[in-house]
Amino acid sequence: MDGIGRPTAYFTCVKKGSGKAVRLHRVEIKCDQVQGARETVVTYTLHGPWVSPGKKSNVRCGTKNFLRGFKVQTKS
């Protein structure tokens, strides 16, 4: 959560390791938002920027949202 209560996801890929080489990475977050008088739940997906190893990719949901999940995407 950030300072005003929004769900936040971030990831920093390490530059060294024994696995496959990663050229770019970004974080993905799924947010649930309750809408309308019938309280319909809408799920949407947001992506952080593609960044190189050693840099942070971050993204956050809007206010009055709930975190459903997050993951990291990579490009070799």
Side-chain angles (χ1 to χ4, degrees), residues 34-67:
V34 179
Q35 297 180 345
R38 294 182 183 223
E39 297 185 351
T40 303
V41 176
V42 176
T43 301
Y44 57 97
T45 304
L46 299 169
H47 295 94
W50 286 105
V51 295
S52 58
K55 296 185 179 177
K56 185 188 331 184
S57 178
N58 62 348
V59 66
R60 67 177 51 103
C61 297
T63 55
K64 299 183 181 178
N65 282 246
F66 302 94
L67 175 66

Side-chain angles (χ1 to χ4, degrees), residues 14 19 25 28:
V14 268
H25 70 276
E28 173 185 287

